Every structure is written in C-alpha cells, then in structure tokens.
Amino acid sequence: DGGITQSPKYLFRKEGQNVTLSCEQNLNHDAMYWYRQDPGQGLRLIYYSQIVNDFQKGDIAEGYSVSREKKESFPLTVTSAQKNPTAFYLCATNLKRGLDTGELFFGEGSRLTVL
Amino acid sequence: AQKVTQAQTEISVVEKEDVTLDCVYETRDTTYYLFWYKQPPSGELVFLIRRNSFDEQNEISGRYSWNFQKSTSSFNFTITASQVVDSAVYFCALSEPNQGGSEKLVFGKGTKLTVNP
C-alpha cells in the first residue's frame, strides 16, 4: 500500500534524552515536512525538505534536528535542548508540480510524552 | 506574514443541523492556495479541498460546500445535514508557492466540531 508510515505511534522519554521519530514514505514524493501539534495551537512547522540532502528550518526548529539521506525517509530527532517536547508530531509529504502547490499528505502521527 | 484565523474553537450541533466553519486569512501575495483538512480522533489529517486564489467559484462536494470570498479574505466551510461521523477537528490552511518550490502550509488553530445524535 502507498502511504506514509510514522513510528513509533506512542513514545515515552525521560527528560534529557534524545529521541528519534521515523517517517517513511513510498509515494515517491519529493518534499517532506515535520509539524508539531499542541492542544489548541494548530500545526506548526518544524523542518521541511524539498530534495535529498537538503532541508530548511521551519518556524519552531530549535531543539530539533533532521536528515534527508534518502528520498523515502525524513527522521526527526527531538533533542534534550527542546524545552517542551511533549506533543503530537505529524510527518507530511508533497508531490511537487512545478510552481503548483499540491496538497500535503499526512502520516498518522507520533505522540511523544516526556516523563 | 501569513496568518490563518479560525475564530470558532469548538462547535456543538445536533445531527442533521447545518454548520459553517469560518476561516479568515491574511497574505500579501496575489497568488496563494487555501486548504481544508479534517482530523478525526485517530489523528491523521485528511485532505478535503484545495483552492487557488484565482478561482472564486464556490464548490460543492456531497454534503460539503466551500465559500471563497477574496473581498473579505474568507474561505468558509459548510457541512449540510451533519452526521456523527463529521465529528472532528477541522483545519484551514494557507500556502504561498514561490520560485524555489518551498511550499509551506500555515495552519489555523482548528475548530473542533462535535455532532451529537
């Protein structure tokens, strides 16, 4: 089946630990994104990547890191520098069509809780 | 800066009622796209519609309809004869394409719709 797979779905972490969230897609989409969702806050962009080996910071990149070594994969690391990491994290992809903005396709999300 | 405002935080209706979700946006660009997404309790966002800034025609898809008015910078979403399965959080979003293709979506804070039987 084509789609976006995020793992793990639920993750618990102790303060001071880094944790990596996985995002894999088999849609052959060029662009990939990480959003963070907090209750009542909507979605905020953390990082995005338009092409392999390239990525840009979004609005709330501090305390996070990413890599894009393969087209299919865009893992997000939540570092100990992130002050409030407890949140719902959503990965998305977008098939670039020149200057046309297509819709984003989302994974099912990963819920991170810091104990 | 781009901004999307969904003033209604929560709406509760009884099944079969019509309900309209408001979305007001701010942008300086003349070319942009607007979106609506649905987020059911499972968490995954489901795409509903995309509209570009040059197309002000209203759109209807089954029980869903959208009213785009550039004059008031609004892109409202109406569900006719609501059903319990429509219960979800609905997000309005704005994107601006650029030469680099770095499309990003700016989301509103969402409206939680509860449809009671």
Side-chain angles (χ1 to χ4, degrees), chain B residues 38 63-64 79-88 90 113 115:
Chain B
K38 174 182 180 179
R63 296 184 297 106
Y64 295 171
I79 301 174
T80 302
S82 60
Q83 301 176 2
V84 174
V85 292
D86 295 327
S87 296
Y90 291 86
L113 173 65
V115 181

Side-chain angles (χ1 to χ4, degrees), chain B residues 52-112:
Chain B
N52 75 52
S53 52
F54 297 107
D55 182 3
E56 286 194 72
Q57 261 194 326
N58 291 334
E59 182 155 340
I60 298 174
S61 177
R63 296 184 297 106
Y64 295 171
S65 62
W66 289 269
N67 183 283
F68 177 30
Q69 293 196 345
K70 286 180 76 171
S71 60
T72 56
S73 297
S74 65
F75 187 43
N76 296 338
F77 172 34
T78 297
I79 301 174
T80 302
S82 60
Q83 301 176 2
V84 174
V85 292
D86 295 327
S87 296
V89 180
Y90 291 86
F91 290 97
C92 180
L94 167 69
S95 175
E96 296 179 359
N98 59 50
Q99 297 295 328
S102 308
E103 303 91 348
K104 297 182 290 182
L105 292 195
V106 174
F107 285 82
K109 293 186 177 182
T111 297
K112 182 178 180 180

Side-chain angles (χ1 to χ4, degrees), chain A residues 15-63:
Chain A
E15 279 192 31
Q17 289 182 336
N18 292 355
V19 62
T20 297
L21 307 180
S22 170
C23 179
E24 302 281 332
Q25 57 109 351
N26 59 8
L27 300 170
N28 200 33
H29 285 178
D30 302 293
M32 297 186 74
Y33 307 77
W34 275 105
Y35 281 89
R36 169 179 171 145
Q37 184 177 13
D38 296 282
Q41 292 299 314
L43 279 72
R44 293 180 290 171
L45 182 63
I46 305 172
Y47 268 99
Y48 64 104
S49 168
Q50 299 294 314
I51 195 170
V52 175
N53 292 324
D54 187 44
F55 49 82
Q56 288 80 39
K57 293 182 179 179
D59 301 316
I60 56 166
E62 186 175 349

Side-chain angles (χ1 to χ4, degrees), chain A residues 5-115:
Chain A
T5 302
Q6 289 188 239
S7 63
K9 195 166 184 177
Y10 298 95
L11 185 62
F12 297 89
R13 177 194 111 173
K14 292 182 180 179
E15 279 192 31
Q17 289 182 336
N18 292 355
V19 62
T20 297
L21 307 180
S22 170
C23 179
E24 302 281 332
Q25 57 109 351
N26 59 8
L27 300 170
N28 200 33
H29 285 178
D30 302 293
M32 297 186 74
Y33 307 77
W34 275 105
Y35 281 89
R36 169 179 171 145
Q37 184 177 13
D38 296 282
Q41 292 299 314
L43 279 72
R44 293 180 290 171
L45 182 63
I46 305 172
Y47 268 99
Y48 64 104
S49 168
Q50 299 294 314
I51 195 170
V52 175
N53 292 324
D54 187 44
F55 49 82
Q56 288 80 39
K57 293 182 179 179
D59 301 316
I60 56 166
E62 186 175 349
Y64 299 98
S65 65
V66 294
S67 63
R68 187 85 187 275
E69 298 176 0
K70 300 185 299 181
K71 187 176 184 178
E72 302 80 19
S73 178
F74 191 42
L76 173 73
T77 296
V78 185
T79 74
S80 56
Q82 169 50 234
K83 300 304 179 189
N84 297 296
T86 294
F88 187 54
Y89 292 88
L90 284 157
C91 177
T93 68
N94 184 4
L95 177 63
K96 289 175 64 176
R97 305 169 186 144
L99 298 179
D100 193 20
T101 299
E103 65 270 22
L104 295 188
F105 296 81
F106 284 85
E108 293 185 343
S110 293
R111 189 168 298 280
L112 172 63
T113 302
V114 174
L115 304 173

Side-chain angles (χ1 to χ4, degrees), chain B residues 12-56:
Chain B
S12 182
V13 300
V14 177
E15 207 168 18
K16 298 185 182 176
E17 283 186 26
D18 298 347
V19 58
T20 295
L21 310 182
D22 298 332
C23 173
V24 174
Y25 63 92
E26 295 176 28
T27 179
R28 294 183 178 178
D29 271 277
T30 56
T31 301
Y32 51 89
Y33 289 82
L34 293 161
F35 302 78
W36 276 95
Y37 282 85
K38 174 182 180 179
Q39 186 180 40
S42 61
E44 182 177 351
L45 268 75
V46 177
F47 166 76
L48 296 178
I49 190 171
R50 176 184 69 148
R51 176 53 51 85
N52 75 52
S53 52
F54 297 107
D55 182 3
E56 286 194 72

